[in-house]
Amino acid sequence: MALIVQKYGGTSVGSVERIKNVARRVAKTRAAGHEVVVVVSAMSGETNRLVALAHDIQEYPDPREMDVVLSTGEQVTIGLLAMALKSIGVDAKAYTGWQVPVKTDSAHTKARIDHIEDTNMRADLDAGRVVIVAGFQGVDEHNDITTLGRGGSDTSAVALAAALKADECQIYTDVDGVYTTDPRVVPEARRLSTISFEEMLELASLGSKVLQIRSVEFAGKYKVRLRVLSSLQEEGEGTLITFEEDHHMMEEAVVAGIAFDKNQARVNVRGVPDKPGIAYQILGAVADANIEVDMIIQNVGAEGTTDFSFTVPRGDYHHTLNILHEVQKNIGATEVDGDDTVCKVSIVGMGMRSHVGIASTMFRTLAEEGINIQMISTSEIKVSVLIDEKYLELATRVLHKAFHLDQEPVKA
Ligand code: ADP
Ligand code: ASP
Ligand code: MG
């Protein structure tokens, strides 16, 4: 007997039929003799609908009340799934985040899980029940409802698996595993039977939404056995996230996958006097507004000046420009401008540590298509470029081909 945490995403619980399908799958795992904790998302589209309702009332919705609203989507699906299980003779109990409780900090709409109390869940498991937990939500020390950021049900599932020391955490979604890139953009994308934790972490942080980044971080910290699978197929091994000790089962490709991120905007501060402290004056003001800066470049400009460019999340673009117009007055920059129609495309692979020429293949491939690179950033296992968003699909497709990601890697 194993303890398995299964998470079903929005599409997988997107209709009553789909919820019944999830119930059948859970019942099957239960019938195989396993204990099951199920985490569900809201029905697909529901969280977006709730966000839109809030924005119809307040331009910047009150964060505490926003979480009261956002958490309702998952409350519906846990209740419906519990009913669906009971109706096929499987005892089950639904828990909201605060009922578990999943304790978080108070950063509304992007809270972090501090710890999870397992007493209630254990009692139900011991009594032979399936435990169903609302994903994406928790409760803070003031008893206020919190949510974990978009896509946060993945993190709920992995955190529950860690807290319960589950044998495996299975993320069921609308694709049958982690692919070399988003199969919606590149139909030739190939499912990976395994991907290393480090690569998955990079892909998630660079925009692949198949797993929320914090769920991957949790899996790494607590060594949770994590697998991505399809809820719509009966069979399939999905993709296993591997750790160092599983290296014998890993694929050998130099580049494992390609991620892209449209949530990007570039801002430029031009004609800045080139002297110590300038980067701090510019970026410090942006950081003070809690805006996350990603790629940064500084170029030598004319006559002792410098041009400074960086990227921010697209939703923070106008706020950032406003801040920079203020900073401009203090530092005497000649111009502030930007572009919010850019995107970031990244190649990721452990093999880059030991292979040279990967970045130049990337740059050549993009050049051959006439795609201009606006910014570059690299780490040991990734290269990212900022390009015009109209080239996102083309760039991803040609890079996928250039690195032969549509083919099984040749074993060394
Ligand atoms: P869920 O609602 O189940 O959480 P998501 O929409 O959040 O599902 O994530 C699954 C989607 O992630 C897929 O439908 C796919 O379009 C997208 N995706 C992006 N990159 C990848 C990738 N490398 N492998 C698989 N899916 C990916
Ligand atoms: N329902 C939430 C969202 O749409 C959480 C999730 O699906 O993981 O972001
Ligand atoms: Mg998701």
Side-chain angles (χ1 to χ4, degrees), residues 225 240-250:
R225 195 178 160 84
L240 180 70
I241 317 303
T242 56
F243 299 100
E244 265 167 40
E245 48 272 30
D246 314 308
H247 268 193
H248 59 282
M249 32 195 317
M250 276 168 55

mmCIF file with all atom_site columns, all heavy atoms in Angstrom, residues 225 240-250:
data_model
loop_
_atom_site.group_PDB
_atom_site.id
_atom_site.type_symbol
_atom_site.label_atom_id
_atom_site.label_alt_id
_atom_site.label_comp_id
_atom_site.label_asym_id
_atom_site.label_entity_id
_atom_site.label_seq_id
_atom_site.pdbx_PDB_ins_code
_atom_site.Cartn_x
_atom_site.Cartn_y
_atom_site.Cartn_z
_atom_site.occupancy
_atom_site.B_iso_or_equiv
_atom_site.pdbx_formal_charge
_atom_site.auth_seq_id
_atom_site.auth_comp_id
_atom_site.auth_asym_id
_atom_site.auth_atom_id
_atom_site.pdbx_PDB_model_num
ATOM 1   N N   . ARG A 1 225 ? 8.812  12.574 -4.933  1.00 0.00 ? 225 ARG A N   1
ATOM 2   C CA  . ARG A 1 225 ? 8.776  11.912 -6.235  1.00 0.00 ? 225 ARG A CA  1
ATOM 3   C C   . ARG A 1 225 ? 7.599  12.513 -7.021  1.00 0.00 ? 225 ARG A C   1
ATOM 4   O O   . ARG A 1 225 ? 6.438  12.355 -6.623  1.00 0.00 ? 225 ARG A O   1
ATOM 5   C CB  . ARG A 1 225 ? 8.581  10.419 -6.005  1.00 0.00 ? 225 ARG A CB  1
ATOM 6   C CG  . ARG A 1 225 ? 8.862  9.567  -7.177  1.00 0.00 ? 225 ARG A CG  1
ATOM 7   C CD  . ARG A 1 225 ? 8.676  8.103  -6.776  1.00 0.00 ? 225 ARG A CD  1
ATOM 8   N NE  . ARG A 1 225 ? 8.491  7.298  -7.943  1.00 0.00 ? 225 ARG A NE  1
ATOM 9   C CZ  . ARG A 1 225 ? 9.488  6.816  -8.677  1.00 0.00 ? 225 ARG A CZ  1
ATOM 10  N NH1 . ARG A 1 225 ? 10.725 7.052  -8.332  1.00 0.00 ? 225 ARG A NH1 1
ATOM 11  N NH2 . ARG A 1 225 ? 9.233  6.106  -9.748  1.00 0.00 ? 225 ARG A NH2 1
ATOM 12  N N   . LEU A 1 240 ? 8.698  11.692 -15.287 1.00 0.00 ? 240 LEU A N   1
ATOM 13  C CA  . LEU A 1 240 ? 9.178  11.680 -13.897 1.00 0.00 ? 240 LEU A CA  1
ATOM 14  C C   . LEU A 1 240 ? 10.260 12.745 -13.740 1.00 0.00 ? 240 LEU A C   1
ATOM 15  O O   . LEU A 1 240 ? 11.159 12.858 -14.572 1.00 0.00 ? 240 LEU A O   1
ATOM 16  C CB  . LEU A 1 240 ? 9.756  10.303 -13.570 1.00 0.00 ? 240 LEU A CB  1
ATOM 17  C CG  . LEU A 1 240 ? 10.304 10.133 -12.154 1.00 0.00 ? 240 LEU A CG  1
ATOM 18  C CD1 . LEU A 1 240 ? 9.165  10.138 -11.128 1.00 0.00 ? 240 LEU A CD1 1
ATOM 19  C CD2 . LEU A 1 240 ? 11.106 8.837  -12.040 1.00 0.00 ? 240 LEU A CD2 1
ATOM 20  N N   . ILE A 1 241 ? 10.140 13.547 -12.687 1.00 0.00 ? 241 ILE A N   1
ATOM 21  C CA  . ILE A 1 241 ? 11.191 14.530 -12.385 1.00 0.00 ? 241 ILE A CA  1
ATOM 22  C C   . ILE A 1 241 ? 12.261 13.784 -11.587 1.00 0.00 ? 241 ILE A C   1
ATOM 23  O O   . ILE A 1 241 ? 11.970 13.213 -10.532 1.00 0.00 ? 241 ILE A O   1
ATOM 24  C CB  . ILE A 1 241 ? 10.640 15.705 -11.537 1.00 0.00 ? 241 ILE A CB  1
ATOM 25  C CG1 . ILE A 1 241 ? 9.279  16.197 -12.037 1.00 0.00 ? 241 ILE A CG1 1
ATOM 26  C CG2 . ILE A 1 241 ? 11.659 16.831 -11.422 1.00 0.00 ? 241 ILE A CG2 1
ATOM 27  C CD1 . ILE A 1 241 ? 9.163  16.654 -13.436 1.00 0.00 ? 241 ILE A CD1 1
ATOM 28  N N   . THR A 1 242 ? 13.480 13.813 -12.090 1.00 0.00 ? 242 THR A N   1
ATOM 29  C CA  . THR A 1 242 ? 14.523 12.993 -11.447 1.00 0.00 ? 242 THR A CA  1
ATOM 30  C C   . THR A 1 242 ? 15.492 13.849 -10.636 1.00 0.00 ? 242 THR A C   1
ATOM 31  O O   . THR A 1 242 ? 15.729 15.021 -10.946 1.00 0.00 ? 242 THR A O   1
ATOM 32  C CB  . THR A 1 242 ? 15.344 12.226 -12.500 1.00 0.00 ? 242 THR A CB  1
ATOM 33  O OG1 . THR A 1 242 ? 15.875 13.166 -13.436 1.00 0.00 ? 242 THR A OG1 1
ATOM 34  C CG2 . THR A 1 242 ? 14.513 11.205 -13.232 1.00 0.00 ? 242 THR A CG2 1
ATOM 35  N N   . PHE A 1 243 ? 16.053 13.224 -9.616  1.00 0.00 ? 243 PHE A N   1
ATOM 36  C CA  . PHE A 1 243 ? 17.075 13.875 -8.802  1.00 0.00 ? 243 PHE A CA  1
ATOM 37  C C   . PHE A 1 243 ? 18.412 13.187 -9.080  1.00 0.00 ? 243 PHE A C   1
ATOM 38  O O   . PHE A 1 243 ? 18.453 12.187 -9.792  1.00 0.00 ? 243 PHE A O   1
ATOM 39  C CB  . PHE A 1 243 ? 16.694 13.782 -7.322  1.00 0.00 ? 243 PHE A CB  1
ATOM 40  C CG  . PHE A 1 243 ? 15.392 14.474 -7.052  1.00 0.00 ? 243 PHE A CG  1
ATOM 41  C CD1 . PHE A 1 243 ? 14.210 13.757 -6.925  1.00 0.00 ? 243 PHE A CD1 1
ATOM 42  C CD2 . PHE A 1 243 ? 15.340 15.860 -6.980  1.00 0.00 ? 243 PHE A CD2 1
ATOM 43  C CE1 . PHE A 1 243 ? 13.000 14.402 -6.707  1.00 0.00 ? 243 PHE A CE1 1
ATOM 44  C CE2 . PHE A 1 243 ? 14.129 16.511 -6.774  1.00 0.00 ? 243 PHE A CE2 1
ATOM 45  C CZ  . PHE A 1 243 ? 12.963 15.779 -6.626  1.00 0.00 ? 243 PHE A CZ  1
ATOM 46  N N   . GLU A 1 244 ? 19.473 13.738 -8.490  1.00 0.00 ? 244 GLU A N   1
ATOM 47  C CA  . GLU A 1 244 ? 20.814 13.211 -8.798  1.00 0.00 ? 244 GLU A CA  1
ATOM 48  C C   . GLU A 1 244 ? 20.909 11.704 -8.688  1.00 0.00 ? 244 GLU A C   1
ATOM 49  O O   . GLU A 1 244 ? 21.529 11.039 -9.506  1.00 0.00 ? 244 GLU A O   1
ATOM 50  C CB  . GLU A 1 244 ? 21.842 13.848 -7.868  1.00 0.00 ? 244 GLU A CB  1
ATOM 51  C CG  . GLU A 1 244 ? 22.493 15.052 -8.494  1.00 0.00 ? 244 GLU A CG  1
ATOM 52  C CD  . GLU A 1 244 ? 23.259 15.854 -7.488  1.00 0.00 ? 244 GLU A CD  1
ATOM 53  O OE1 . GLU A 1 244 ? 23.915 15.232 -6.635  1.00 0.00 ? 244 GLU A OE1 1
ATOM 54  O OE2 . GLU A 1 244 ? 23.190 17.092 -7.555  1.00 0.00 ? 244 GLU A OE2 1
ATOM 55  N N   . GLU A 1 245 ? 20.233 11.156 -7.651  1.00 0.00 ? 245 GLU A N   1
ATOM 56  C CA  . GLU A 1 245 ? 20.362 9.712  -7.434  1.00 0.00 ? 245 GLU A CA  1
ATOM 57  C C   . GLU A 1 245 ? 19.715 8.877  -8.544  1.00 0.00 ? 245 GLU A C   1
ATOM 58  O O   . GLU A 1 245 ? 19.953 7.682  -8.653  1.00 0.00 ? 245 GLU A O   1
ATOM 59  C CB  . GLU A 1 245 ? 19.813 9.299  -6.065  1.00 0.00 ? 245 GLU A CB  1
ATOM 60  C CG  . GLU A 1 245 ? 18.433 9.851  -5.711  1.00 0.00 ? 245 GLU A CG  1
ATOM 61  C CD  . GLU A 1 245 ? 18.479 11.228 -5.028  1.00 0.00 ? 245 GLU A CD  1
ATOM 62  O OE1 . GLU A 1 245 ? 19.418 12.006 -5.309  1.00 0.00 ? 245 GLU A OE1 1
ATOM 63  O OE2 . GLU A 1 245 ? 17.573 11.512 -4.225  1.00 0.00 ? 245 GLU A OE2 1
ATOM 64  N N   . ASP A 1 246 ? 18.893 9.518  -9.389  1.00 0.00 ? 246 ASP A N   1
ATOM 65  C CA  . ASP A 1 246 ? 18.256 8.770  -10.484 1.00 0.00 ? 246 ASP A CA  1
ATOM 66  C C   . ASP A 1 246 ? 19.001 8.960  -11.805 1.00 0.00 ? 246 ASP A C   1
ATOM 67  O O   . ASP A 1 246 ? 18.443 8.706  -12.862 1.00 0.00 ? 246 ASP A O   1
ATOM 68  C CB  . ASP A 1 246 ? 16.815 9.249  -10.727 1.00 0.00 ? 246 ASP A CB  1
ATOM 69  C CG  . ASP A 1 246 ? 16.004 9.406  -9.469  1.00 0.00 ? 246 ASP A CG  1
ATOM 70  O OD1 . ASP A 1 246 ? 15.967 8.446  -8.693  1.00 0.00 ? 246 ASP A OD1 1
ATOM 71  O OD2 . ASP A 1 246 ? 15.408 10.475 -9.261  1.00 0.00 ? 246 ASP A OD2 1
ATOM 72  N N   . HIS A 1 247 ? 20.230 9.461  -11.752 1.00 0.00 ? 247 HIS A N   1
ATOM 73  C CA  . HIS A 1 247 ? 20.889 9.863  -12.997 1.00 0.00 ? 247 HIS A CA  1
ATOM 74  C C   . HIS A 1 247 ? 20.963 8.772  -14.060 1.00 0.00 ? 247 HIS A C   1
ATOM 75  O O   . HIS A 1 247 ? 20.936 9.071  -15.241 1.00 0.00 ? 247 HIS A O   1
ATOM 76  C CB  . HIS A 1 247 ? 22.285 10.444 -12.723 1.00 0.00 ? 247 HIS A CB  1
ATOM 77  C CG  . HIS A 1 247 ? 22.229 11.931 -12.558 1.00 0.00 ? 247 HIS A CG  1
ATOM 78  N ND1 . HIS A 1 247 ? 23.317 12.736 -12.551 1.00 0.00 ? 247 HIS A ND1 1
ATOM 79  C CD2 . HIS A 1 247 ? 21.161 12.749 -12.389 1.00 0.00 ? 247 HIS A CD2 1
ATOM 80  C CE1 . HIS A 1 247 ? 22.948 13.991 -12.381 1.00 0.00 ? 247 HIS A CE1 1
ATOM 81  N NE2 . HIS A 1 247 ? 21.644 14.021 -12.264 1.00 0.00 ? 247 HIS A NE2 1
ATOM 82  N N   . HIS A 1 248 ? 20.981 7.522  -13.610 1.00 0.00 ? 248 HIS A N   1
ATOM 83  C CA  . HIS A 1 248 ? 21.062 6.425  -14.577 1.00 0.00 ? 248 HIS A CA  1
ATOM 84  C C   . HIS A 1 248 ? 19.862 6.404  -15.518 1.00 0.00 ? 248 HIS A C   1
ATOM 85  O O   . HIS A 1 248 ? 19.939 5.886  -16.616 1.00 0.00 ? 248 HIS A O   1
ATOM 86  C CB  . HIS A 1 248 ? 21.185 5.091  -13.835 1.00 0.00 ? 248 HIS A CB  1
ATOM 87  C CG  . HIS A 1 248 ? 20.017 4.833  -12.909 1.00 0.00 ? 248 HIS A CG  1
ATOM 88  N ND1 . HIS A 1 248 ? 19.908 5.439  -11.673 1.00 0.00 ? 248 HIS A ND1 1
ATOM 89  C CD2 . HIS A 1 248 ? 18.910 4.083  -13.066 1.00 0.00 ? 248 HIS A CD2 1
ATOM 90  C CE1 . HIS A 1 248 ? 18.776 5.057  -11.102 1.00 0.00 ? 248 HIS A CE1 1
ATOM 91  N NE2 . HIS A 1 248 ? 18.156 4.233  -11.921 1.00 0.00 ? 248 HIS A NE2 1
ATOM 92  N N   . MET A 1 249 ? 18.716 6.997  -15.081 1.00 0.00 ? 249 MET A N   1
ATOM 93  C CA  . MET A 1 249 ? 17.547 6.937  -15.952 1.00 0.00 ? 249 MET A CA  1
ATOM 94  C C   . MET A 1 249 ? 17.365 8.193  -16.800 1.00 0.00 ? 249 MET A C   1
ATOM 95  O O   . MET A 1 249 ? 16.396 8.344  -17.518 1.00 0.00 ? 249 MET A O   1
ATOM 96  C CB  . MET A 1 249 ? 16.265 6.643  -15.156 1.00 0.00 ? 249 MET A CB  1
ATOM 97  C CG  . MET A 1 249 ? 16.238 7.185  -13.775 1.00 0.00 ? 249 MET A CG  1
ATOM 98  S SD  . MET A 1 249 ? 14.950 6.508  -12.700 1.00 0.00 ? 249 MET A SD  1
ATOM 99  C CE  . MET A 1 249 ? 13.524 6.486  -13.765 1.00 0.00 ? 249 MET A CE  1
ATOM 100 N N   . MET A 1 250 ? 18.314 9.106  -16.730 1.00 0.00 ? 250 MET A N   1
ATOM 101 C CA  . MET A 1 250 ? 18.094 10.388 -17.400 1.00 0.00 ? 250 MET A CA  1
ATOM 102 C C   . MET A 1 250 ? 18.383 10.358 -18.889 1.00 0.00 ? 250 MET A C   1
ATOM 103 O O   . MET A 1 250 ? 19.221 9.609  -19.355 1.00 0.00 ? 250 MET A O   1
ATOM 104 C CB  . MET A 1 250 ? 18.961 11.461 -16.749 1.00 0.00 ? 250 MET A CB  1
ATOM 105 C CG  . MET A 1 250 ? 18.285 12.033 -15.541 1.00 0.00 ? 250 MET A CG  1
ATOM 106 S SD  . MET A 1 250 ? 19.394 13.016 -14.583 1.00 0.00 ? 250 MET A SD  1
ATOM 107 C CE  . MET A 1 250 ? 19.972 14.171 -15.809 1.00 0.00 ? 250 MET A CE  1
#
